[in-house]
Amino acid sequence: MQTQLKILHYIPVYAPAWQFGGPVLSVSQLCEELAALGHQVEVFTSNTGLNNQPELPLNQPVIRNGVKVTYFQQEPGIGIHCPGMEQAVTARAREFDIIHITGVWQRTSGAACKAAKNQGIPYVVSPRGALGPYSWQQKTAKKILYYLWQERFNMTNAAGIHYTSKQELQECHWLKLPGKSFIVPNGLNTEFWQPALEAAKAWRKSQNLSEDDFILLNVGRLHHKKGLDLLPQALARLRHLNWRMVFVGGDDDGTKAKLQQQFQSANLSDRVIFLERCEPKKLPAIYSAANLFVLPSRHENFGNVVVESLACGCPILISNKVGLHNEVAERGVGWVRSRVASEWTEAIEELIQFPSKMQKVISASKKCVESTYSTKKTALQMGSYYLETINKQYINESKI
């Protein structure tokens, strides 16, 4: 049995603000499982993205799925400006054994790092891809200046740096951060993420898709980073086969219009369905209805949707820029290709024509998810690293 810890998770957006992507789901699931294991878990966050929930109490704790969460009022300003959140962590840092901060390039993070440092509380930072090469290529000059001004302090004073994949750790090696580096993958609730075959049939029918249609699926925000512009190029050479492409997710940066134009130019508009983002509870049926999940990202520190798809029995084809590509290749639970359209054309064509090749992968995927990515497994790993980090800091302090 693990030692019970008092843990503060400090993150600018939290469940149920699902529109902000993977970290919201993965952090909330981690917090819930840590609480289920007996740890005292609190979350400080903002109400960003939750304006449509006026019944949500602000600036006071509520219990959400066993976790004490305080949603602080977001104030006008650049980025996520939440003074109440910053004041709370400054006032209460000493109450916790460890503080886990999610949010690089976030103005709220500095207050937590400073409070922990000043009050002698070890803290862990999860970059979640924000220090990877793709991120540095966006607004590079501003990020260099901000890193030197604020983020370098946040990262170099962290007792631990949490990475979600081998790729993410390797990408950050050049920063030479002194805190302990460790990998804990994002976990998922394997009781929730399961094949939903009857619901899948109903979903196909609702979208006018037949049982014979080979469905290619992508779930997640439509954004340049996701590399979705590769798909029209790859699929244009496969118009002789019976496939449909389904996108599920909100448009972040005009990518949807660009994709629509690409598919129209290739005379493939009638093969493509765009659906708005939906709550996680609706996704198992959609994953289960698909034949192949595709993620040609330019960069992805982990890829929650990859594990969700595997858990629901849908095979995956991902780029070698997705954080999990090493693990996928090593475990034989999917196909990995570089971001070259012809490679994707060849892979998709082979799987459409020889679907039996996917059965062995589907079987291996279920075992992999249960053994490696269940929330209980990942929460136990995280709890162990928390305890190791805490003990190391106290040993170091005793030597001073």
Side-chain angles (χ1 to χ4, degrees), residues 21-49:
V24 175
L25 180 61
S26 57
V27 172
S28 61
Q29 290 185 150
L30 171 62
C31 290
E32 290 162 15
E33 191 61 42
L34 285 167
L37 290 172
H39 298 294
Q40 295 182 40
V41 183
E42 279 199 52
V43 175
F44 287 175
T45 188
S46 77
N47 68 328
T48 303

Side-chain angles (χ1 to χ4, degrees), residues 193-210:
W193 297 102
Q194 288 276 343
L197 302 183
E198 291 303 316
K201 292 178 182 178
W203 183 84
R204 277 196 178 229
K205 187 175 182 180
S206 72
Q207 300 299 323
N208 296 316
L209 296 166
S210 74

